[in-house]
Amino acid sequence: MSEERNTNDAQWELEEEHWSEFYPDEVDEMLEELRLERADEDDKPQHEEIMELANEHAWMFIRGSRSGTVVTDLPSGSITREGQVPPIPTRDAALDGRRSILLYHAGGTRFAQGRELLTRLHAKNGASLGLGVSVSIPRHSAKKIADVFDCSVAALRIADPEAFWFDQEVLQLASTDPETYTHQQTGIAAARRAARLKEFAPYLHRLSDNYFIDEVVEAQRAAGANLILTSGRALSTSHPTRSIENLIQEGDHVHSLLSTNERMALNITLPLDFITNESLCDALLAELLEREQFDVWHVRGQWRNNEDGAVLKDPTALKFYKNLSNLAEEEGRVLLLPQSGLTGWYFLAHGARGFGTGTSMAQQAFLQHRPFARQPGIPNVQRIFERALLHPVEFTFHLSLRDQPKYVACDCRWCEAIDATQVYNRTTSGWHTLYNHGALTASARGSDSTGGRRAAVRKILRRAQAFRNDQNLLGKNDPKHLSNWSELL
């Protein structure tokens, strides 16, 4: 196994060298596919676990290759765990406000680990946590999307059209023109990626066509989505009034195409210079306030790259998200913040209903593209999410924290695997991060009698800040965003 593992590691290094000049966030997702394949082979549970499903004479697998599968007869050889799995909510029940929502942005080639993780989250927290899966149509094959949607505990299934990939003049995205790259192979890869986008999403050939919106809707239906999105074209700061009008017109068009049992979300993509322009934000919020036909908002914002990774600290941008979340809560709208990671979790306190996250930084934040070249011979820093600090820290520092007073230990099986070996594994660490985001989402539910989500998040932040103050934290181990977030609460 060690020889095979060394071969795989060498393959990853070659992949990283090949892609690092292109787009670092996409590198994470592409390499994640390789890692997940190996994880599915190396991390297969030695047994299957099941739990009784509440209100039904049935059982659900919560561990193993059949995770999420419901059976009416007890399977032989499996371990039965105590307790009951909560009933799986419908799409509309998940959106009705009684649960906070975690959307998993699936990126790997295999979904077995993700399916098990979501099943375990539901088994433990299903009464207060709504789960969903979100997959990009332009970036994933139909087979991949079908695999992800085969998840019984996912109340929401989103096939994101992501038409913003061709808004190069508005968003800071990696160029798809091979001539703009100094490294020939990187340019070829860029062109291949652009071709793949249109291959998986033919509607992108018809961005200005009269039937563009119809094809966007049909593509989502064909994928099996149960929440239909508008295209997700980015709003323009050069022509804000016209782009907002186009957004609303497209929303009305999609709304007119819905069948009786379908439900839609207004899919909004915002560049950083829109988010940080107060007058433009006010104009957008005013328009959303007047449009009662759109009761679900799916809002993705592009953020500036920063040394702290996939968290938002910019005060102006934070203010926009707070105002947006407050408006959604006050008007009874469902606000989903895709690709926002822990920052999206934080805005549950301000009125957001759910957020999207994943195992890599590219799934936890929609960051502006920046030219990137990895220095030869410099390995990746081994980092793991630390729930006690609401922040990823270096793995060696994580090991030293576990004996500290007030430390918040993780009970996920992926963390158990790391603790058992004391050896860092990036893939396992990614699953640990995702599980903790889900557990935090369930903890943020709160209750009306104790102040709801706002009080619950404030309590978690206060504990993390107190733990931070007790440690000698330097550089990237220091969760500086906690101060910015606490100020808004």
Side-chain angles (χ1 to χ4, degrees), residues 91-258:
R91 174 200 61 195
D92 293 341
L95 294 170
D96 68 7
R98 290 177 293 175
R99 297 171 176 85
S100 297
I101 299 170
L102 176 87
L103 291 175
Y104 169 40
H105 294 294
T109 55
R110 299 185 183 181
F111 188 57
Q113 292 275 345
R115 187 179 293 109
E116 178 181 332
L117 186 148
L118 294 180
T119 300
R120 294 173 79 87
L121 281 174
H122 175 75
K124 187 172 182 178
N125 307 290
S128 58
L129 177 66
L131 296 171
V133 288
S134 179
V135 194
S136 163
I137 294 178
R139 291 184 292 144
H140 295 108
S141 67
K143 181 179 179 181
K144 163 67 181 178
I145 297 174
D147 184 34
V148 172
F149 281 0
D150 182 20
C151 182
S152 61
V153 298
L156 300 179
R157 299 188 303 275
I158 295 175
D160 196 333
E162 290 191 353
F164 61 76
W165 285 111
F166 287 84
D167 289 325
Q168 296 273 347
E169 74 285 356
V170 177
L171 300 168
Q172 289 192 25
L173 304 171
S175 173
T176 56
D177 181 2
E179 300 300 323
T180 61
Y181 294 90
T182 56
H183 192 284
Q184 182 181 14
Q185 291 302 314
T186 304
I188 293 173
R192 187 186 304 122
R193 176 176 173 272
R196 185 180 65 172
L197 292 177
K198 290 188 175 182
E199 175 189 353
F200 290 162
Y203 53 81
L204 293 176
H205 289 281
R206 312 181 68 168
L207 290 177
S208 58
D209 192 294
N210 290 335
Y211 295 100
F212 167 64
I213 304 305
D214 299 67
E215 292 197 9
V216 165
V217 172
E218 286 304 318
Q220 294 175 75
R221 286 171 174 161
N226 67 358
L227 184 65
I228 304 297
L229 307 184
T230 54
S231 69
R233 295 297 303 272
L235 298 191
S236 169
T237 54
S238 301
H239 308 284
T241 301
R242 187 170 66 196
S243 65
I244 293 176
E245 289 176 351
N246 291 340
L247 169 71
I248 300 304
Q249 290 173 4
E250 181 180 326
D252 287 335
H253 188 170
V254 171
H255 192 270
S256 71
L257 296 174
L258 297 180

Side-chain angles (χ1 to χ4, degrees), residues 50-51 53 56-61 69-75:
I50 64 170
M51 286 181 67
L53 189 59
E56 297 183 34
H57 184 68
W59 290 264
M60 176 180 287
F61 287 92
T69 302
V70 176
V71 294
T72 55
D73 295 316
L74 276 172

Side-chain angles (χ1 to χ4, degrees), residues 347-401:
F347 280 105
L348 296 175
H350 295 285
R353 195 71 57 79
F355 70 101
T357 188
T359 57
S360 71
M361 189 168 74
Q363 298 160 345
Q364 297 167 18
F366 182 43
L367 300 175
Q368 291 181 326
H369 170 70
R370 59 184 172 86
F372 178 84
R374 192 182 305 280
Q375 296 298 319
I378 299 180
N380 287 322
V381 177
Q382 297 179 341
R383 304 183 69 81
I384 186 170
F385 180 76
E386 194 59 77
R387 185 170 175 178
L389 291 168
L390 300 177
H391 187 62
V393 300
E394 292 182 26
F395 183 64
T396 53
F397 186 66
H398 156 75
L399 296 177
S400 71
L401 286 176

Side-chain angles (χ1 to χ4, degrees), residues 17-88:
E17 181 180 358
H18 177 75
W19 283 98
S20 59
E21 189 181 340
F22 177 45
Y23 192 9
D25 299 331
E26 286 295 302
V27 171
D28 284 341
E29 189 163 327
M30 292 168 188
L31 295 180
E32 190 71 9
E33 296 185 357
L34 292 175
R35 295 186 184 100
L36 291 179
E37 284 192 22
R38 192 184 76 176
D40 281 346
E41 296 171 357
D42 292 356
D43 195 29
K44 284 182 179 178
Q46 299 302 309
H47 59 267
E48 293 182 319
E49 298 178 7
I50 64 170
M51 286 181 67
E52 184 179 3
L53 189 59
N55 302 331
E56 297 183 34
H57 184 68
W59 290 264
M60 176 180 287
F61 287 92
I62 63 169
R63 182 171 184 172
S65 60
R66 292 189 285 177
S67 291
T69 302
V70 176
V71 294
T72 55
D73 295 316
L74 276 172
S76 60
S78 60
I79 297 175
T80 304
R81 293 299 181 188
E82 295 182 357
Q84 290 187 325
V85 177
I88 300 170

